[in-house]
């Protein structure tokens, strides 16, 4: 299985990749240190417009075809070709249909789910309460691996921002799932913020190399003395 469906999916994926390369200096990550057996639910904070684009790169790198609920899906329905599903804020019936389809695909095809669990895009730095959709899907797909996933943006040392992504160990599906997910995600986000302050970023690997600063691009060739 691939994250991209057919030619249209490959074209959408290329568009996403081109956008990230153009908008960011580097996308850093700490790959999971544990094996992930699908289906998985990536319980992700939602602090940036590019969150979905970055998570596309994550699940593609991990070879875990995933679904992604998108509130403004109707603005670009071709996102369906890379796992996007409609989740309009003003249409409860459409959201319910998407949740049912998600559960079916996770059960029958082991699709994973990128879940921006706070429910809305909002400024950093806090984590909002985790929505009940997490417990609903986890209850219906009890074998899902529940992975808190933090995204942090930083702009200071480079012309374009950097992004940092990391994963906490999977959390159990218990009656305290929403609180446990909130605590794990909050702690993880604080950890990667601190790690991102190291200008060498030795803790991280490169997920996407974006566009270097103009001074980096203008360095003379090594043969010029």
């Amino acid at each position: 299985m691939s994250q991209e469906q057919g030619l249209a999916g490959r074209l959408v994926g290329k568009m996403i990749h081109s956008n990230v390369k153009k908008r960011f200096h580097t996308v850093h990550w700490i790959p999971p240190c544990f094996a992930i057996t699908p289906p998985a639910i990536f319980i992700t904070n939602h602090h940036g417009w590019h969150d979905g684009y970055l998570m596309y790169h994550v699940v593609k790198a991990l070879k875990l075809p995933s679904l992604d609920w998108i509130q403004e899906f109707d603005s670009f329905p071709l996102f369906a070709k890379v796992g996007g599903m409609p989740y309009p804020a003003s249409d409860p019936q459409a959201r319910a249909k998407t949740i049912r389809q998600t559960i079916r695909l996770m059960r029958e095809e082991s699709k994973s789910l990128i879940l921006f669990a706070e429910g809305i895009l909002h400024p950093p730095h806090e984590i909002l309460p985790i929505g009940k959709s997490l417990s609903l899907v986890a209850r219906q797909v009890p074998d899902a691996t529940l992975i808190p996933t933090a995204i942090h943006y930083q702009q200071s040392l480079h012309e374009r921002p950097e992004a940092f992504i990391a994963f906490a160990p999977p959390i159990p599906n218990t009656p305290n799932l929403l609180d446990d997910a909130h605590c794990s995600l909050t702690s993880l986000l604080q950890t990667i913020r601190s790690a991102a302050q190291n200008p060498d970023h030795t803790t991280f690997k490169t997920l996407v190399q974006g566009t270097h600063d103009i001074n980096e691009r203008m360095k003379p060739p090594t043969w010029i003395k």
Side-chain angles (χ1 to χ4, degrees), residues 137-217:
V137 177
R139 185 168 59 251
Q140 296 297 321
V141 191
D143 60 337
T145 307
L146 309 176
I147 308 171
T149 305
I151 303 173
H152 168 61
Y153 297 96
Q154 175 173 291
Q155 179 156 19
S156 59
L157 301 180
H158 295 288
E159 182 180 357
R160 291 168 177 80
E162 298 171 277
F164 301 82
I165 306 169
F167 311 85
I171 58 177
N173 185 359
T174 70
N176 295 321
L177 173 59
L178 301 186
D179 289 338
D180 292 345
H182 188 278
C183 289
S184 179
L185 195 52
T186 298
S187 176
L188 177 62
L189 190 57
Q190 291 172 345
T191 297
I192 65 169
R193 280 181 189 145
S194 297
Q197 299 308 306
N198 181 347
D200 295 328
H201 303 320
T202 54
T203 306
F204 296 88
K205 299 181 182 298
T206 298
L207 178 62
V208 182
Q209 181 57 67
T211 302
H212 286 109
D213 305 338
I214 187 169
N215 54 303
E216 294 173 316
R217 302 196 304 270

Side-chain angles (χ1 to χ4, degrees), residues 57-74:
H57 284 88
V58 164
V59 298
K60 187 173 180 182
L62 294 176
K63 296 181 171 59
L64 288 171
S66 299
L67 308 169
D68 180 6
W69 300 347
I70 303 174
Q71 284 195 6
E72 298 178 350
F73 176 87
D74 288 344

